[in-house]
Amino acid sequence: MIAPRRIFLTGASGALGSALLPALVRRGHHVTAAGRDSAAADGMLFDPLGGHLDSRFASAGFDTVINLGDGLKALETERLGTASMRTAHQLLAGNQRLADAAMRSGARLFLHISSIKAIAGEKAGAVLSETAPARPTGAYGIAKQALEQRLRLAFQGEPCSLILLRNPLTYGPGAMGGLARLLGLIERGVPLPHQAADARRSLLAVANFVDAIVTVLEADAPPAGAYHIHDGEPLALTTIVRTLAAGLQRPPRLVRVPAVLWRAASAVPSLRSNLDRLGGSLVLDDSHFRQTFNWQPNVDTEPELTATAAAYRASRDNRRHRI
């Protein structure tokens, strides 16, 4: 293990950050956390929308910045348009200021958590490696790709190494993310249309995500560049639904829609993204990361999906009891 790092961590109060922060501290790293929740942020806040960065940053002597909180999540449900692009521009500028501050302070590693959405939408026609052409869709994906490009330009030729981690759908107890909508539908017994029995999805458990980040931090001179990470073998969408239903203690209600109706519905822009979530494949190749860092995931997908659904059910039950 390398000597303890002095780390500035953004997004510390989010689902991933709240799991990563204690893991870093347990391993002896010195972490200053920034997040929306001041209790988790130690009084030093980074606001990517306003571009605010605490004045103590430059003198703190951080050798590592982990950027989980780029603020672009605010665009996940936004459509392309003037308002979303204006927000994206402000967020990109805020992250640029963080990158500039990291270089001025002498940081040697800038680890940015991007997303597979930076190069693909809800489905892809091929397995996505780091060399796949970028074809983002929607305000969120386009902004993610734009931020990657900005950071690459900012760190080009600099002694501070830039590492970009792209993840697929991330999940875990207390970290539902994009699964929350699907869990709600299953819990309510809504019939879920599915198409293409071979449709598969790569997933990433929060526990595996944390372990991958720690592996990068504790590597000897980690090579700069973009890396894809995920749990392992992708799961069929039908398997994902059945596994979540088991954790919810609900029957899965999967129905096959005739191909002609599926194609007709897919032609409607307002329906296309939702149908892509239920009928499209999005599979990543993470061999580059595994070979470079000699990494293997610690948590298996299906048991962790079941635990995620069980945690969701327990939280809903607790809220009902308090009402």
Side-chain angles (χ1 to χ4, degrees), residues 248-319:
L248 289 172
Q249 299 180 359
R250 294 286 193 275
R253 301 189 66 190
L254 289 161
V255 296
R256 179 169 291 279
V257 176
V260 63
L261 294 180
W262 187 275
R263 286 195 297 270
S266 297
V268 180
S270 60
L271 296 177
R272 186 179 301 121
S273 63
N274 287 327
L275 292 177
D276 285 346
R277 291 189 184 98
L278 295 170
S281 289
L282 189 59
V283 177
L284 283 61
D285 174 5
D286 70 345
S287 58
H288 180 41
F289 183 81
R290 295 191 186 216
Q291 292 167 8
T292 301
F293 294 98
N294 192 28
W295 180 79
Q296 293 291 328
N298 292 326
V299 172
D300 293 330
T301 306
E302 291 189 50
E304 194 71 0
L305 274 178
T306 302
T308 298
Y312 175 88
R313 176 170 52 85
S315 67
R316 294 290 293 266
D317 290 345
N318 288 338
R319 285 197 295 270

Side-chain angles (χ1 to χ4, degrees), residues 154-172:
F155 287 99
Q156 188 173 17
E158 296 290 338
C160 183
S161 293
L162 170 66
I163 290 182
L164 303 168
L165 294 184
R166 296 189 189 125
N167 60 286
L169 180 64
T170 302
Y171 66 95

